[in-house]
Amino acid sequence: MDVADLGLPVDVPSTALFTDHYELTMLQAALQAGTAERRSVFEVFTRRLPEGRRYGVVAGTGRVLDAVENFRFDAGVLGFLRERGVVDEDTLQWLAAYRFGGDVWGYPEGEVYFPGSPVMRVEGSFAECVLLETVILSILNHDSAVAAAASRMASAAGDRPLIEMGARRTHELAAVAAARAAYVGGFATTSDLAAGFRYGIPTVGTSAHAFTLLHDSERDAFRAQVDSLGRGTTLLVDTYDVTEAVRLAVEVAGPELGAVRIDSGDLLLIAHRVRQQLDELGATDTKIIVTSDLDEYAIASLRAAPVDAYGVGTQLVTGSGHPTASMVYKLVARAESADPKAPLVPVAKRSSGGKTSVGGRKWAARRLDGHGVAEAEVIGSGPVPEGLADRQLLVQLVKGGQVVTREPLDAVRDRHAAARAGLPLSATQLSRGEPVIPTEYV
């Protein structure tokens, strides 16, 4: 059974109000002006990566497809718009029949991107496309930011697994999306059961400090947990004295103890001491898990420590200092009339302050060097050069309003690992720097 098909009580019946007021007022004015049905092309891109980042990660595409399918103006939504006087009655009648019937192309979820990359292209009438701007951006900006942070953390962790545990540090619905994005970026498991239920992500967890404090002694707490969960459980050893807790943990569980978790203090120093103590006690296979406000820099600093897994919360779900990918949704081409055969005309914003855009319906391809490593992101609006024809990045996601590309989350996760591996080695450096490959327009 595909658990994603079950939905969750936190799912909403319609995504139509996940938009901004002015999307509907633009719609009303365009309907009155007779321009609403002009064929249009919108593109999602970012003008720059967050400072110091070498690449971005496309995440949230699957959620965007769900949102587009559920973008419906039912009676309750229409009643709200009518009561507030947001749009007139003619526009409400148009909205009542709204179904997106256009096409969506995009970078496959899990792929990397760079400044200017057209990570998603939405085509259809102006009216049907403009309404989707806010919901598409809200999903892609959040999920891509979390996935980028997760990717950097996964790179820093190497082959050591990462546990997503940030649900208590963000909105309850954002927590589910963040766990999904973290999995795309390379995390192995999540503590959030809603994410496990909705997306099939493996879930883990044993106990917190409250469980130890509940009992009359640390020994009693350890005994209760081992009796209930078995010797392979993970015991939290920093409630009181770490050295004594490790001794008690092995005494209670024996050398078959699965793992100990350290959640405070000088993790580098404590991890070395705990490893030595575990080995001396014969628990040579007992693993060490560390938590405590980790980010990619802290994880990298622990690379030489005898740590077996990391649990990350706050820094992950907030994008490790960059909670948005700063993507925008811009009209890049439109027809001169509502005639379906009318040719597309490139359009672009022209302004100061770095907010310009490049007009035209674009393709994107990644040029590789002689070793098969990415060397440039090539973007154009004319014919695709012959040498790049088989390196194009955009795939069709929606055709005529019907979703045509849906993938298992594990396939998306694998794609990201492969995409990151195809970048120059400097992509994984944590030091500040420019995008690892340049963007070229042809």
Side-chain angles (χ1 to χ4, degrees):
M1 177 179 61
D2 184 354
V3 294
D5 292 336
L6 296 175
L8 273 178
V10 295
D11 283 349
V12 293
S14 169
T15 53
L17 290 184
F18 289 169
T19 190
D20 287 305
H21 187 117
Y22 75 176
E23 310 291 5
L24 299 189
T25 54
M26 282 193 290
L27 169 65
Q28 176 178 307
L31 287 170
Q32 291 180 0
T35 53
E37 295 305 317
R38 288 186 175 186
R39 190 160 55 103
S40 300
V41 179
F42 287 82
E43 288 178 351
V44 177
F45 63 93
T46 185
R47 296 183 176 94
R48 64 190 64 84
L49 298 178
E51 185 178 358
R53 297 289 170 89
R54 306 297 180 91
Y55 61 91
V57 181
V58 178
T61 306
R63 298 206 308 120
V64 166
L65 298 179
D66 292 340
V68 171
E69 283 190 327
N70 292 322
F71 206 90
R72 304 283 187 270
F73 292 84
D74 57 26
V77 170
L78 292 169
F80 165 78
L81 297 175
R82 181 177 290 109
E83 178 185 344
R84 296 295 180 93
V86 175
V87 289
D88 62 21
E89 198 62 35
D90 287 343
T91 305
L92 290 173
Q93 292 301 314
W94 189 93
L95 291 173
Y98 178 84
R99 299 290 186 275
F100 179 73
D103 299 335
V104 179
W105 293 72
Y107 278 38
E109 188 166 15
E111 184 58 84
V112 296
Y113 69 88
F114 299 92
S117 297
V119 298
M120 187 167 287
R121 190 174 72 222
V122 182
E123 305 180 29
S125 70
F126 175 84
E128 63 184 338
C129 294
V130 75
L131 296 181
L132 300 177
E133 174 179 1
T134 301
V135 69
I136 287 176
L137 287 180
S138 65
I139 293 171
L140 293 181
N141 270 317
H142 173 269
D143 290 22
S144 295
V146 174
S151 178
R152 284 162 60 85
M153 293 173 187
S155 177
D159 58 359
R160 297 173 180 178
L162 291 157
I163 307 164
E164 186 282 314
M165 48 195 305
R168 63 190 63 188
R169 297 293 189 249
T170 188
H171 185 280
E172 66 272 18
L173 302 187
V176 182
R180 182 186 183 280
Y183 193 68
V184 170
F187 274 58
T189 53
T190 179
S191 66
D192 190 277
L193 289 176
F197 179 79
R198 179 68 180 86
Y199 297 114
I201 302 170
T203 61
V204 295
T206 51
S207 68
H209 294 102
F211 186 78
T212 300
L213 296 171
L214 167 69
H215 292 83
D216 296 334
S217 70
E218 198 166 36
R219 180 191 296 275
D220 290 344
F222 289 170
R223 172 53 61 193
Q225 184 173 328
V226 170
D227 286 348
S228 176
L229 302 178
R231 297 177 185 273
T233 191
T234 299
L235 296 176
L236 181 59
V237 295
D238 73 329
T239 305
Y240 304 118
D241 178 82
V242 172
T243 301
E244 176 62 13
V246 171
R247 186 190 68 78
L248 283 173
V250 177
E251 182 179 308
V252 170
E256 299 83 16
L257 175 63
V260 295
R261 178 163 74 95
I262 308 166
D263 188 52
S264 59
D266 184 336
L267 298 178
L268 179 61
L269 175 63
I270 296 173
H272 277 287
R273 289 178 175 174
V274 168
R275 181 72 272 159
Q276 180 179 352
Q277 185 181 6
L278 287 170
D279 291 347
E280 290 173 349
L281 293 170
T284 56
D285 293 329
T286 299
K287 299 185 182 303
I288 297 175
I289 300 171
V290 296
T291 52
S292 185
D293 291 328
L294 299 177
D295 61 11
E296 60 265 49
Y297 302 101
I299 291 169
S301 73
L302 291 167
R303 188 169 297 171
V307 171
D308 298 286
Y310 307 91
V312 190
T314 303
Q315 292 300 318
L316 174 65
V317 299
T318 57
S320 195
H322 298 289
T324 176
S326 297
M327 293 179 183
V328 294
Y329 183 95
K330 296 297 180 184
L331 181 66
V332 297
R334 51 87 175 167
E336 292 183 333
S337 72
D339 184 345
K341 297 181 180 179
L344 290 172
V345 178
V347 295
K349 179 179 178 179
R350 295 284 184 262
S351 66
S352 59
K355 285 195 171 184
T356 59
S357 57
V358 179
R361 180 182 185 272
K362 300 175 196 66
W363 51 264
R366 190 160 300 144
R367 190 173 69 239
L368 308 182
D369 65 16
H371 301 284
V373 177
E375 65 176 12
E377 194 87 339
V378 186
I379 299 170
S381 56
V384 181
E386 184 177 343
L388 294 175
D390 62 348
R391 298 298 308 166
Q392 293 190 71
L393 292 163
L394 279 80
V395 299
Q396 189 154 26
L397 304 170
V398 177
K399 183 177 182 179
Q402 300 298 312
V403 174
V404 295
T405 301
R406 269 206 171 89
E407 301 177 292
L409 201 55
D410 282 332
V412 173
R413 187 169 183 266
D414 291 344
R415 175 182 294 117
H416 175 64
R420 188 177 64 201
L423 296 176
L425 288 176
S426 57
T428 60
Q429 291 179 346
L430 297 181
S431 57
R432 294 188 181 278
E434 298 299 316
V436 71
I437 61 173
T439 300
E440 298 178 1
Y441 291 92
V442 298

